[in-house]
Amino acid sequence: MSDAALTDAVRSAVAGVVDPELRRPLGELDMLREIEVQGDLARVGIALTIVGCPAADRIEREVRAAAAGVAGIGAVDVELGVMSPDERRALTEKLRDGRPARQMPFGPDSLTRVIAVTSGKGGVGKSTMTANLAVALARRGLRVGLIDADVHGFSIPALLGLVDDDGLPPAPTRIDDLMLPPVAYDVKVISIGMFLRRPGEDAAGAVAWRGPMLHRTVQQFLTDVFFGDLDVLLIDMPPGTGDVAISVGQLLPHAEVLVVTTPQSAASDVAVRSGLVARQTGQRIIGVVETMSAMTLPDGSTLDLFGAGGGSEVATALSAAGDTVLLLGTVPLSPALRTGGDVGVPVVVADPADPAARAIDAVAATLARQGRGLSGRSLPFAPR
């Protein structure tokens, strides 16, 4: 094979390497530079998006492997450079598909299904449920994004293992004004905790913000974070019916809502309110999930530490106030579920046979089957 033919083969192989942050091939992202073959030596130039790109080592390694895999190539020399400001600007425009900066990508006409996971009060396992549900949906082959909108009580990064040895989440990579969310278990994740790390500190800072700042944060997560093409975007809401719930209702009135409660009436009574507020903003309640339900002990007996029936009561109350709402699942108390959250390995990955993992996966299966309805959406064709 001639050097020219080998050069074309190497270019084709390298063009197919996928950027681990943007999740698109390097060729599509215009990251290829000069590629030359002399004898059995391939020289490959790659332009990274930014200086200090955290994915640089992985990209270099995979580019080297792709080029070396071409028949007739015995050695590979990879040269990493950086895009110019104009090239980065062109890239961000391409990633936005022509959409202006700060324009909402998840509007009513979006193909992405948006599900806000909410609860009436804290401590009911809502975030644990959201994290595991996101991973369970991703394991079913869906493209999943997750926004940690519980700004004051963010916990999603730790639940998904997106923390370092000090328990601090990684900062998102920035390409100009576009943020690339870190990925865990094939779920793209953004959280305010990723922006609070300060040099010399061993913990993420606390957030003491009022309504306008909270609204701006949620808005930026929705407009300035590049999630790419998603099938499902989950939003881990703060408990209750405060500023963030109102902001999400205003920004995403077409979103669906999944209500989480425990069997205890103290939680279920308040959970109904979160569903009613969601309806007031035009959002649709797609179901209720009961957490901390009765667990089966080794001797076959059951332990209903928090009582029973709360999930059914919430579904019944919400149905009486509007469209029918179903109880989608009951997730039992589970040491494995708790342990998975502590170590950052979701139980649906760590122990799929655990009763809690099976219950969560069943909810994911139900949501995956439902899909997003076409009601209220404009379709890309007109009658003749």
Side-chain angles (χ1 to χ4, degrees):
M1 187 181 296
S2 66
D3 287 352
L6 274 176
T7 298
D8 290 341
V10 170
R11 180 176 293 276
S12 178
V14 171
V17 173
V18 175
D19 183 292
E21 293 185 302
L22 295 172
R23 299 298 182 95
R24 293 191 184 181
L26 302 185
E28 182 181 323
L29 297 172
D30 298 324
M31 294 174 67
L32 303 187
R33 292 298 177 262
E34 184 176 0
I35 296 177
E36 178 184 36
V37 174
Q38 293 180 336
D40 68 346
L41 171 63
R43 294 188 176 91
V44 180
I46 300 294
L48 301 174
T49 53
I50 59 172
V51 175
C53 173
D57 290 343
R58 178 173 170 181
I59 290 174
E60 180 180 3
R61 184 170 61 253
E62 294 186 2
V63 164
R64 189 180 301 278
V70 175
I73 298 299
V76 180
D77 182 13
V78 179
E79 181 178 348
L80 298 180
V82 180
M83 285 184 169
S84 69
D86 287 342
E87 289 173 329
R88 278 197 299 274
R89 191 175 304 111
L91 174 61
T92 57
E93 290 176 0
K94 175 181 288 190
L95 294 175
R96 290 194 178 101
D97 294 324
R99 176 176 50 85
R102 304 195 186 287
Q103 179 177 312
M104 177 68 65
F106 302 111
D109 295 333
S110 169
L111 296 177
T112 300
R113 186 180 185 191
V114 181
I115 302 176
V117 185
T118 185
S119 66
K121 63 190 297 292
V124 300
K126 169 187 55 64
S127 296
T128 299
M129 179 68 197
T130 307
N132 277 273
L133 187 58
V135 175
L137 288 168
R139 286 165 67 85
R140 289 180 169 273
L142 298 180
R143 295 164 297 182
V144 182
L146 173 53
I147 292 178
D148 186 355
D150 193 351
V151 176
H152 292 131
F154 56 88
S155 59
I156 290 295
L159 290 170
L160 291 175
L162 275 174
V163 292
D164 60 19
D165 292 340
D166 294 324
L168 297 173
T173 300
R174 290 178 178 267
I175 304 177
D176 294 339
D177 60 351
L178 206 62
M179 293 181 283
L180 308 183
V183 179
Y185 303 103
D186 287 327
V187 176
K188 298 178 180 179
V189 184
I190 197 71
S191 170
I192 194 63
M194 298 172 179
F195 302 89
L196 300 178
R197 181 171 187 165
R198 299 180 180 88
E201 294 186 355
D202 58 1
V207 177
W209 293 344
R210 289 182 173 176
M213 283 293 292
L214 296 173
H215 180 87
R216 181 62 179 151
T217 298
V218 174
Q219 187 175 44
Q220 282 193 281
F221 282 172
L222 291 168
T223 58
D224 295 354
V225 177
F226 176 69
F227 285 103
D229 296 326
L230 296 179
D231 295 307
V232 181
L233 175 65
L234 291 173
I235 304 178
D236 184 41
M237 300 287 290
T241 57
D243 291 310
V244 172
I246 296 171
S247 292
V248 171
Q250 292 173 340
L251 295 167
L252 300 167
H254 60 284
E256 299 170 308
V257 174
L258 183 66
V259 180
V260 177
T261 184
T262 67
Q264 188 178 15
S265 59
S268 61
D269 290 347
V270 184
V272 174
R273 301 173 203 165
S274 67
L276 294 177
V277 167
R279 273 197 177 136
Q280 289 174 12
T281 64
Q283 296 172 329
R284 183 172 72 93
I285 303 171
I286 55 173
V288 177
V289 174
E290 181 184 280
T291 57
M292 304 184 192
S293 303
M295 67 181 298
T296 301
L297 300 177
D299 63 1
S301 62
T302 58
L303 172 65
D304 52 353
L305 188 62
F306 293 99
S312 296
E313 291 171 4
V314 172
T316 299
L318 291 174
S319 296
D323 295 334
T324 300
V325 176
L326 300 177
L327 176 63
L328 299 184
T330 57
V331 181
L333 287 166
S334 165
L337 180 63
R338 190 271 304 165
T339 300
D342 288 344
V343 300
V345 183
V347 71
V348 294
V349 173
D351 189 0
D354 181 80
R358 292 202 304 269
I360 293 170
D361 190 61
V363 174
T366 299
L367 295 179
R369 285 195 302 268
Q370 286 178 346
R372 182 181 169 190
L374 299 178
S375 176
R377 291 176 53 197
S378 61
L379 301 179
F381 39 77
R384 291 184 176 178

